[in-house]
Amino acid sequence: MDKGEEIIQPTHDLEENDSINDNVADETRNSFELGTDDSEGKDDNSGEETTTEEESIEEEEPKLKYQRLDADVSELLKKDAASTISVSDRFIVLGTHNGDILILDFDGNFNKRLSSHTAAVTDIAIEVTEEFVASASQDGKVIIHGLFNDTKQVFNYRRPLKCISLDPDFHRKDTQRFVCGGMSGVLYLNEKAFVTPVGWFGHKQDTTLQHSGEGAISAVRWKGSLIAYANDEGVKIYNIESQQRITYIKRPPNSPRADLYRCNLTWRNETTLLIGWANFIQTAFVKEYAKHEIQPGRPTQHVEVSMFQTEFIVCGIAPFNDMILVLAYLTEIMQDIGIDDSSQYKRSRAKRPELRIIDAYNEEISTDVLTLHSFQNYQANDYSLDYFPSEDMFYVVSPKDLVLAKPRDLDDHIGWLLDRSRYEEALLSLQEAQAWGGSKKFDLTDLGERYLAYLIGEEEFANAAENCNRILKNNANLWEKWVFTFANLKHLHEISPYIPYTDPKLSSTVYEMVLAHFLNYDHKALLKTIMSWPSDIYDIQSVIVLVEGIFEKEKDNKILMECLAELYAYNRQPDKALEYNLRLLRPNVFDLIREYNLFSAVQDKVFLLMEFDQHLFEEAMKVQDEEIAKLNQDPSKPSVKIKRKKRTEMPAVQLLIENTDDVKIAHVVRQLENKRNFMHIYLDALFIKDHHAGYEFHDLQIELYAEFDYPRLKDFLKSSNYYTLEKAYKVCEQRDLVPEMVFILGRMGNNKEALMLIIERLHDVQQAIDFAKEQDDDILWEDLLKYSLDKPRFIIGLLENLGGTNIDPIGLIKRIPNRLKIPGLKEALIKVLQDFNLQASLREGCQKILVSDSVSMADQLNKAQKRGIKCEDDLTCSICSIPIIKEAISSDSVSTTIVFFCSHAFHEACLLSNETLPNPPDSNSRMLVGSKVRHNIVLNSLNNPPKCPICNDAEHTHGEKQKEKTPSRQIRGFVRGHAHHGSRDDDGMPPMVPLRL
């Protein structure tokens, strides 16, 4: 067996002579076996067969992996046997039955031998700094070896010792304390006595912490200030600082006799002690009392203990995360029932030891069976367990073997899954591990390919194809490799949906191979693939040739038509794609025509376009009918109507009428000669868009309207001016369309004949009256009156419609023949009188309103012309720009100023010419107001009363004239207009009515 080789294999081995109960217990346990030599294999042959029940139980992955340290250990233990072990951060120390101390590295290589004892070594303690190793032996001696200075201290207690523990501060304190105990039942505290402590007798170096009388001291462990030790009565914890015992944990009742099984003590941390003794596991929690609970002279700490019983003997105990790892020895538990002679106990058969992981509730998380050398010959006390806390490494020692157990890492987990063909779980674990560095042993891509190969081997092609994306990722070479693999196995269909086409982009051969496969086996998949893949990843023309070859044999295959339509569109051959789109009745055909300007391609396919429109219209009608049915499900509610789709609004018709330059109207009409309803739809839509377009076909449209859309014939006759009246009349006469004949006769000027048609054929008084109103012909009215005199219904109709006719009501009444019985005459005459009275009343009311409005507006005008205008101090003449107010205040003479409602102000002398300038008002203060009034009357009496030259100068010439008169002075109100080349700038303010002063 190679050095360091991991040799763990799942097994359910059982011994030939195991009892039936043992078989059942082992069958339900998920165990792992360490390989043994050939001599031991003979004893295990019976365990190679497994039952059907065992195979049905799902196998759980072990939590630990194992390695037998064979390097130099086997040779060292050939003539000796290991009795105890201790592990530090740097090395392993083994104690042997011959009294040797063996220093090994972590791989089991021998480094140093320390021979001092003459009997078996029972316990070993390593100092924290790893400079000293202390050992206790059955020869009654404690020996402390200095590893780096070859010093040795020997302490002889003359009675066999079972345990030893060093002070955690052994390397820092000169006292170099340690505790030890054994068969004497006394627990000794040894330290250098530079000063005699209180309570010591003389200068002795040992202090007795536990006196004899309670049985042998079987175990001791020192952590911080606490020392835990065990004797036959139980476990005690001593505080070395306060020099007080803080607790006493009794041995569980009904437990095996104390001297049969060794007590195992391990500190999990500074305050938690793990106790494994016989078939009981206890956890002691050291806690501080609250301040108010502390009593003088009493310990300041107390202990809480939890305990559970096991089905095995505890040979060693160690913390494992938040759980407990136990070295278990399976045997028939012998209770302490008062038998003093141990020879009376039946020696139980030895079984393989086990490493079990147990949680705080005594539930087994994992159980591993260890097959050690000569395990059949050993009892529980022959095994020892120690651990390396920082690395979670656990060492199991038997007299002839040393085994390392440590938590399984990612590589172990993946390897275990792969051994059981659980590739999916292995791949997921490796992918999750990529976030923190991944695996040192397994490559993600290689593992993924192994998974794909496994799935294909199991013929799970769909599952394999689905996993290709996350395994192959963007590796083009791998993608091509596996696509060809699927193709060779004739399962290309499964992987095709997952084949990438952007990142990575594969060779065109791959994509063409997939398309060819679908062309031969699955046309629907071919169409779906063509529509989903970009067109630049394969040779389109090559694919078209292949598809055309199959289509020649299957002319009615619509799926292949769709494929060809898409391929020709991708290949920039829209004219060829158009034909297939039309045959397939695809709605996008119209967008295709517009986008690629394919009007030349469709000008001979008008009939196909119109058929397509018919199909779309029928589908739209079905949808609208269903929608109306849904809306009108409740008969108690009023029916709901929606706007119906019109045939003239369909896309093909709109396409043709919008592009008459490309598809000529006459060309369309010629193609639709044998399908008159399509021709009507086209010409009708054309007429709606433009009354003048297609005017040469208006004579034909009259026939089409009469045949397919009679209600709109009359509107067409009224709207069009391009049809021949005689032809139109002939068409209407052939179909006996009297209202349209009346309209055409009216247009032809044959009003009398038209009126006779209304009277004789339609017998419609109202239409006859409306026709007469429309023609506004006195002769026609007279004809209507003459015809109506002997027809009571017509007389009543005329009387009821006198309001808008040219008939004198009195003359009509006088001309009614005597003794003519006219039903409803009285009511008609009453209505005539009522209408007359109403008309007179309306005229009188309108006159009153007119008079009232005239008076009101005259009064408003008077008030407006009387109102004053606010003048600021900086008011200036808009012509000479001289201040008006300031000049009037500073001057003794009287000057006349004219201010208009538009706020423009002028000196009278600036505004009026000298020849029209009236005399200024009298300067006498008493006569000033009267003079102003008279002056104003004079101004208003002028032939040309003054107006604001700015607001009434449409040609802007006033500013130019003033500029010529006063070249050195800018005239306010005209400067901006001049700067803008004569355009008046008055801020959009309309001129106001001037106030003449």
Side-chain angles (χ1 to χ4, degrees), residues 183-197:
M183 297 302 295
S184 65
V186 179
L187 180 66
Y188 298 101
L189 170 65
N190 183 287
E191 60 182 337
K192 290 183 179 180
F194 295 102
V195 178
T196 303

Side-chain angles (χ1 to χ4, degrees), residues 610 614 672 675-682 704 708:
M610 296 303 292
Q614 179 72 13
L672 300 177
K675 197 69 174 177
R676 290 172 62 85
N677 62 326
F678 288 169
M679 185 191 302
H680 166 66
I681 294 170
Y682 169 73
L704 297 174
F708 300 106

Side-chain angles (χ1 to χ4, degrees), residues 732-989:
C732 295
E733 188 178 24
Q734 289 174 353
R735 296 178 178 272
D736 197 24
L737 306 177
V738 178
E740 287 72 19
M741 293 167 62
V742 171
F743 176 77
I744 295 172
L745 287 172
R747 271 205 166 186
M748 295 170 67
N750 197 347
N751 296 332
K752 186 173 182 178
E753 186 178 352
L755 183 62
M756 290 302 105
L757 278 175
I758 296 173
I759 295 172
E760 295 175 358
R761 295 289 304 278
L762 299 178
H763 307 288
D764 190 340
V765 182
Q766 187 62 46
Q767 186 174 352
I769 294 171
D770 293 340
F771 181 75
K773 288 180 183 179
E774 186 178 330
Q775 302 302 325
D776 195 18
D777 186 356
D778 293 337
I779 298 175
L780 195 62
W781 280 112
E782 184 64 26
D783 292 338
L784 177 60
L785 184 58
K786 287 179 181 180
Y787 181 82
S788 304
L789 289 177
D790 60 346
K791 296 177 177 61
R793 190 163 61 87
F794 275 73
I795 293 173
I796 295 298
L798 289 173
L799 289 174
E800 290 177 350
N801 292 277
L802 286 174
T805 66
N806 294 339
I807 299 176
D808 181 14
I810 298 175
L812 173 61
I813 295 171
K814 286 181 178 181
R815 295 176 65 175
I816 298 174
N818 293 331
R819 299 185 181 278
L820 179 65
K821 189 175 181 179
I822 304 174
L825 178 61
K826 180 181 178 181
E827 290 80 4
L829 292 176
I830 291 172
K831 184 177 184 302
V832 170
L833 294 175
Q834 287 176 345
D835 290 345
F836 177 78
N837 290 332
L838 178 61
Q839 188 175 12
S841 176
L842 288 173
R843 287 181 179 178
E844 183 180 353
C846 291
Q847 185 177 6
K848 289 180 180 180
I849 293 171
L850 181 62
V851 171
S852 175
D853 288 348
S854 299
V855 172
S856 176
M857 294 181 71
D859 183 55
Q860 183 179 355
L861 176 62
N862 187 24
K863 289 181 180 179
Q865 291 186 342
K866 284 182 178 181
R867 73 180 184 182
I869 297 177
K870 182 179 180 181
C871 299
E872 302 290 344
D873 292 344
D874 58 350
L875 182 67
T876 59
C877 176
S878 295
I879 294 178
C880 65
S881 299
I882 297 176
I884 294 176
I885 304 298
K886 294 180 180 179
E887 180 185 23
I889 295 174
S890 60
S891 175
D892 295 334
S893 62
V894 177
S895 62
T896 302
T897 303
I898 298 175
V899 182
F900 295 94
F901 281 142
C902 59
S903 299
H904 293 137
F906 304 90
H907 289 112
E908 185 180 47
C910 297
L911 183 64
L912 302 177
S913 60
N914 292 330
E915 58 271 13
T916 61
L917 189 63
N919 295 325
D922 191 359
S923 61
N924 191 323
S925 60
R926 290 176 299 172
M927 301 297 292
L928 185 58
V929 175
S931 300
K932 289 182 177 181
V933 173
R934 288 193 296 275
H935 191 72
N936 186 33
I937 293 172
V938 172
L939 291 175
N940 288 329
S941 64
L942 295 175
N943 292 330
N944 294 316
K947 296 180 180 179
C948 177
I950 297 176
C951 298
N952 293 279
D953 187 12
E955 298 180 358
H956 307 289
T957 59
H958 183 78
E960 297 295 333
K961 293 177 181 178
Q962 294 300 326
K963 185 175 180 180
E964 292 175 2
K965 293 180 182 180
T966 57
S968 61
R969 180 184 300 173
Q970 291 183 347
I971 301 176
R972 184 179 180 185
F974 289 86
V975 175
R976 289 184 294 165
H978 176 73
H980 289 80
H981 306 288
S983 62
R984 180 166 63 90
D985 184 3
D986 54 8
D987 297 328
M989 179 69 70

